């Protein structure tokens, strides 16, 4: 007798949801849902604009169907929510997409269904914010008629070595039985294994501290870079020397953006303040990292002034716009802070990045993209990202975009010290 296989619906087909839906879709029925109809259309013809899933992988998920019609979700019994959870202009958690997804699912929820959230949230959000919406819309009772789980996403955009099946998955459920079912569900596709947390709140908390820890470590080396710069000491050389100790953590200074490190700490601090605790170390790290764009621009301006280069009206080329190397992900990129700060100095800024679509950049940030920078044209060149194409081009080629007298700022310390004028 063939065992009944529950149909899964994945809500949100971005960097997190699509790899998940495709992996499940290789072995069981999966409905992929996204409100972006152009995204659905592109996936139907076999192309993922995020480049997280190849055309061949999409084709291999033969039980994966796509829709933007919420009514089609009723065929599922397990719903996995992977919608964005950003912060607003005041750096407060924005649960708008999460709550709208919950409201939509409330309209199709049936007795026995399970709703699993993967989106980053603060501890308690699943049961305190999302579940009440599911109950209100569906008219069903939590942990009697339907159930919930939480399994934090650990996708690393652009990383072709650590793919979804290769990253250990934390799981949880609203009852012991559901926790086991959720764990077994993920264990069916995660070859690296699973870790069943004791509760949904613990799984939620684990997610936010993973990236808060990284954020604080980067903030530390960013502050060290500022100190060493004032001392005339090369930070990269210091880190290499310190790294010879077996337990030294290999963090690098730089701009901190993206969908996780620059966002998740604010979810934790928001919840902490809501319960009457004012975080100090976490917010101090955030202030340092949020200020790095202005610091980078200021250092370039100082270096230009030392070379008697006119700043007001100068032309500067920024190489790299995504939040990390070798991927088209523009979410929360802090390179835009460098651009804005330089523009405040009266600098004309051109931006180049071979990984991104010019229309996307214009729509999201209002910035024109320079497809082919002109040689011998810029007073300053900032290499902000370690894209492989920039590494392969070499310092001489990148410096060739500058005029005979210019400043080349190697923000990522990609090249040797004597190949640039300034490093972070």
């Amino acid at each position: 007798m063939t065992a009944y296989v529950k149909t899964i619906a994945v809500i949100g087909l971005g960097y997190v949801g699509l790899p998940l839906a495709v992996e499940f879709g290789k072995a069981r029925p999966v409905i992929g849902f996204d409100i972006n109809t152009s995204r659905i259309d592109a996936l139907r013809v076999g192309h993922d604009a995020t480049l997280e899933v190849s055309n061949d992988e999409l084709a291999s998920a033969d039980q994966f169907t796509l829709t933007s019609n919420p009514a089609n979700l009723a065929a599922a019994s397990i719903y996995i929510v992977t919608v964005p959870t950003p912060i607003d202009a005041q750096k407060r958690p924005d649960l708008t997409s999460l709550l709208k997804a919950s409201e939509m699912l409330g309209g199709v929820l049936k007795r026995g269904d399970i709703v699993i959230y993967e989106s980053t949230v603060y501890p308690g959000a699943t049961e305190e914010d999302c579940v009440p919406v599911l109950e209100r819309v569906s008219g069903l009772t939590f942990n009697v008629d339907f159930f919930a789980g939480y399994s934090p996403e650990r996708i690393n955009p652009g990383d072709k070595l650590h793919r979804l099946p290769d990253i250990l998955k934390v799981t949880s459920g609203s009852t012991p039985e559901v926790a086991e079912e959720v764990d077994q569900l993920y264990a069916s596709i995660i070859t690296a294994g699973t870790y069943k947390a004791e509760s949904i709140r613990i799984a939620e908390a684990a997610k936010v501290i993973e990236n808060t820890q990284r954020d604080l470590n980067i903030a530390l080396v960013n502050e060290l870079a500022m100190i060493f710069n004032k001392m005339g000491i090369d930070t990269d050389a210091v880190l290499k020397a310190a790294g010879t100790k077996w337990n030294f953590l290999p963090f690098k200074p730089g701009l901190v953006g993206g969908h996780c490190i620059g966002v998740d700490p604010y979810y934790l601090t928001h919840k902490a303040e809501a319960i009457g605790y004012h975080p100090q170390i976490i917010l101090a790290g955030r202030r340092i990292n949020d200020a790095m764009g202005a610091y980078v621009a200021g250092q370039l301006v100082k270096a230009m002034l030392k070379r008697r280069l006119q700043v007001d009206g100068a032309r500067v080329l920024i190489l790299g716009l995504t939040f990390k190397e070798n991927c088209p992900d523009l979410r929360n990129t802090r390179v835009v802070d460098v651009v804005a700060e330089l523009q405040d100095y009266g600098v004309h800024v051109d931006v180049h990045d071979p990984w991104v679509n010019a229309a996307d950049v214009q729509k999201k940030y209002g910035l024109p993209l320079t497809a082919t920078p002109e040689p011998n044209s810029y007073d300053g060149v900032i290499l902000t990202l370690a894209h492989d194409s920039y590494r392969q081009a070499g310092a001489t080629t990148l410096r060739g975009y500058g005029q005979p007298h210019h400043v080349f700022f190697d923000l990522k310390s990609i090249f040797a010290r004597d190949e640039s004028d300034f490093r972070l």
Side-chain angles (χ1 to χ4, degrees):
M1 184 176 179
T2 304
Y4 170 67
V5 178
K6 294 181 178 180
T7 297
I8 296 172
V10 177
I11 314 304
L13 299 176
Y15 283 87
V16 175
L18 182 64
L20 190 69
V22 167
E23 204 61 42
F24 275 123
K26 294 175 183 177
R28 63 193 300 160
V30 174
I31 303 167
F33 174 88
D34 203 289
I35 60 172
N36 186 343
T37 55
S38 61
R39 171 75 166 155
I40 294 294
D41 291 341
L43 292 174
R44 279 180 175 151
V45 297
H47 177 65
D48 170 28
T50 70
L51 305 182
E52 290 300 304
V53 175
S54 70
N55 294 357
D56 289 342
E57 286 176 309
L58 272 173
S60 70
D62 54 5
Q63 298 190 63
F64 177 37
T65 59
L66 293 154
T67 186
S68 56
N69 184 354
N72 294 335
L73 298 173
S77 301
I78 298 174
Y79 302 93
I80 304 178
V81 181
T82 62
V83 298
T85 45
I87 52 176
D88 64 18
Q90 287 73 45
K91 304 188 187 304
R92 298 172 302 193
D94 182 357
L95 299 182
T96 301
S97 295
L98 194 66
L99 297 179
K100 283 184 176 179
S102 299
E103 189 169 354
M104 178 185 69
L105 291 180
V108 297
L109 209 58
K110 307 173 297 299
R111 284 181 171 81
D113 287 356
I114 301 173
V115 182
I116 304 168
Y117 292 90
E118 287 210 6
S119 306
T120 298
V121 292
Y122 44 74
T126 298
E127 292 158 299
E128 296 167 13
D129 296 288
C130 299
V131 164
V133 175
L134 294 171
E135 286 188 310
R136 173 176 57 80
V137 178
S138 69
L140 302 175
T141 302
F142 179 49
N143 278 344
V144 175
D145 300 316
F146 74 93
F147 306 88
Y150 185 79
S151 181
E153 62 90 2
R154 283 177 166 173
I155 293 292
N156 188 26
D159 190 338
K160 300 307 178 186
L161 295 177
H162 303 95
R163 307 296 302 279
L164 174 68
D166 310 317
I167 304 171
L168 193 142
K169 201 87 164 71
V170 173
T171 67
S172 64
S174 56
T175 69
E177 296 76 20
V178 169
E180 180 62 22
E181 183 173 351
V182 171
D183 191 71
Q184 290 302 314
L185 176 71
Y186 282 105
S188 69
I189 63 166
I190 306 296
T191 56
T194 58
Y195 177 88
K196 186 165 61 175
E198 296 173 32
S199 69
I200 287 176
R201 287 166 63 89
I202 287 173
E204 291 168 328
K207 169 59 180 176
V208 288
I209 71 164
E210 286 176 12
N211 291 309
T212 299
Q213 182 186 64
R214 293 171 65 200
D215 190 45
L216 285 170
N217 277 290
I218 298 170
L220 172 62
V221 294
N222 274 337
E223 189 164 56
L224 291 174
M226 295 178 199
I227 294 170
F228 293 143
N229 177 42
K230 284 185 171 293
M231 293 180 175
I233 299 173
D234 184 80
T235 304
D236 188 59
V238 174
L239 294 174
K240 286 177 179 176
T244 59
K245 189 166 188 273
W246 76 92
N247 59 353
F248 185 80
L249 300 177
F251 287 91
K252 297 280 191 178
L255 302 171
V256 183
H259 67 301
C260 283
I261 302 181
V263 172
D264 292 5
Y266 287 118
Y267 275 76
L268 183 57
T269 58
H270 169 83
K271 186 65 174 182
E273 290 174 336
I275 60 174
Y277 181 81
H278 182 67
Q280 298 180 57
I281 294 175
I282 298 171
L283 289 175
R286 281 281 76 231
R287 284 192 294 272
I288 290 171
N289 286 341
D290 278 346
M292 285 305 293
Y295 178 78
V296 167
Q299 292 304 301
L300 176 70
V301 167
K302 283 184 181 179
M304 290 174 64
L305 290 173
K306 287 180 181 178
R307 293 203 167 193
R308 300 293 189 269
L309 294 170
Q310 176 72 30
V311 173
D312 188 13
R315 294 187 67 195
V316 169
L317 173 66
I318 291 182
L319 297 169
L321 182 61
T322 59
F323 92 87
K324 63 180 294 187
E325 65 275 2
N326 301 324
C327 80
D329 198 342
L330 288 166
R331 289 175 295 173
N332 196 37
T333 173
R334 301 288 25 113
V335 178
V336 295
D337 296 344
V338 182
V339 175
E341 190 73 12
L342 287 173
Q343 288 174 338
D344 282 347
Y345 281 106
V347 173
H348 300 290
V349 182
D350 287 347
V351 180
H352 174 269
D353 194 315
W355 279 90
V356 297
N357 179 278
D360 291 341
V361 176
Q362 184 67 47
K363 180 180 178 181
K364 193 170 184 65
Y365 295 110
L367 291 174
L369 205 63
T370 299
T372 307
E374 299 176 12
N376 305 311
S377 299
Y378 297 95
D379 302 288
V381 177
I382 308 180
L383 177 59
T384 57
L385 285 163
H387 287 327
D388 286 344
S389 58
Y390 293 150
R391 289 180 182 273
Q392 292 161 7
T396 301
T397 297
L398 301 185
R399 295 204 71 150
Y401 295 126
Q403 297 184 22
H405 297 290
H406 72 278
V407 174
F408 179 45
F409 189 165
D410 181 6
L411 178 60
K412 303 294 287 187
S413 298
I414 297 175
F415 303 116
R417 195 182 318 168
D418 59 359
E419 293 184 289
S420 65
D421 301 307
F422 193 81
R423 307 200 299 186
L424 192 57

